[in-house]
Amino acid sequence: EDGWEGVDNAVQKQQQGEENDESTHASSESKDMLVMRLDTNITRALGGKRPGIDRDEQPTSTPNVSPHIVNEPVDAMADEIETMEEKNKKEWVDNHAVIDSDGRARCSFHFCRKLFKDKNFLQKHLLKKHPEFLHAETAKCHDSYMMKWWDGEVKRPVPQILVNCGSMFGSVPSSVQGATEPRANDPEPDLWREEQIKIQRRQDEDEEKYRHHQQ
């Protein structure tokens, strides 16, 4: 009995070893699959380049690439706005700096009034602690350009208005169009034409069914 018990223990140990090998092999396969998927995603993110191999390679030339981000007029307008923003930023910092006789600078916001070694430290403070006030000022640089662009649009980016088209169709949305004289088209005539076409189509179908029934 002791001999058979020893054999059983050996068989159980062998089976346990095989199960451990299988689980290890399965986990290794799943890990390899995960690594492969990660490598594939990284390659896609790099635009088809192999990670760590082709990443630093740069194309020797970029033919047919426009030198403009959008187009020449829009890029020129963007440059003007950026210049105005930088000027506005400098003026805003100057207007919110109180310089003492010893060269120290104080924040002029009444709820702050912090004192700094010089104006450079104050500028960092203003940009970091009070940026919302600067954003409100720089936004004014865009107003004239936005209004000019708005006036030149044929179909303006405004919400549609609801036009009363009678009890048959109710209120129907219509886009606002026009530059100097904005207007919204009345959709009711088109809706009536579409309704007449539907009625005529139904009548033709009924007549076709009637003729077919008579035959």
Side-chain angles (χ1 to χ4, degrees):
E1 293 180 357
D2 295 339
W4 285 107
E5 185 177 354
V7 172
D8 292 339
N9 292 334
V11 172
Q12 290 179 0
K13 290 181 179 180
Q14 183 178 0
Q15 291 177 349
Q16 291 177 357
E18 291 176 353
E19 291 177 356
N20 292 334
D21 292 340
E22 290 178 357
S23 62
T24 302
H25 181 67
S27 62
S28 177
E29 286 184 349
S30 63
K31 183 177 180 181
D32 292 342
M33 182 62 68
L34 178 60
V35 172
M36 291 171 62
R37 290 179 180 177
L38 289 173
D39 289 342
T40 302
N41 292 335
I42 293 173
T43 303
R44 289 177 180 174
L46 293 175
K49 296 180 180 180
R50 295 170 294 174
I53 299 177
D54 301 326
R55 183 180 300 176
D56 295 331
E57 293 182 2
Q58 300 293 335
T60 55
S61 62
T62 54
N64 301 324
V65 175
S66 173
H68 307 294
I69 298 177
V70 181
N71 54 51
E72 187 173 357
V74 174
D75 288 358
M77 189 182 303
D79 292 339
E80 292 179 8
I81 294 175
E82 289 180 357
T83 303
M84 292 177 61
E85 285 180 343
E86 288 298 323
K87 180 181 178 182
N88 187 277
K89 175 181 174 181
K90 184 178 182 303
E91 293 177 352
W92 180 81
V93 172
D94 293 339
N95 293 335
H96 291 84
V98 178
I99 309 300
D100 293 344
S101 58
D102 57 358
R104 293 188 297 177
R106 185 182 297 275
C107 178
S108 67
F109 283 104
H110 67 279
F111 52 83
C112 183
R113 305 295 293 176
K114 287 186 177 180
L115 186 64
F116 297 90
K117 181 179 179 180
D118 55 34
K119 189 175 179 181
N120 291 330
F121 288 98
L122 173 61
Q123 178 175 340
K124 295 179 181 179
H125 163 79
L126 290 170
L127 298 179
K128 182 178 180 180
K129 297 299 183 180
H130 311 303
E132 64 275 14
F133 298 98
L134 175 60
H135 295 163
E137 289 296 321
T138 55
K140 298 177 182 179
C141 301
H142 309 164
D143 291 347
S144 60
Y145 295 91
M146 292 175 65
M147 290 303 300
K148 183 178 179 180
W149 195 272
W150 165 277
D151 292 338
E153 284 290 322
V154 176
K155 188 173 181 180
R156 297 184 175 185
V158 296
Q160 293 179 324
I161 63 172
L162 294 177
V163 179
N164 186 2
C165 296
S167 59
M168 181 69 179
F169 306 107
S171 297
V172 179
S174 178
S175 299
V176 178
Q177 298 179 350
T180 56
E181 297 180 0
R183 67 183 186 279
N185 293 328
D186 185 2
E188 187 173 2
D190 293 334
L191 294 174
W192 276 113
R193 280 192 290 270
E194 293 176 1
E195 186 65 23
Q196 292 298 323
I197 293 173
K198 292 179 181 178
I199 294 174
Q200 185 63 41
R201 186 183 298 115
R202 286 196 294 266
Q203 291 177 351
D204 294 341
E205 291 175 355
D206 292 341
E207 292 177 359
E208 182 66 25
K209 291 179 181 178
Y210 178 76
R211 286 195 299 268
H212 182 72
H213 180 71
Q214 291 295 326
Q215 295 177 356

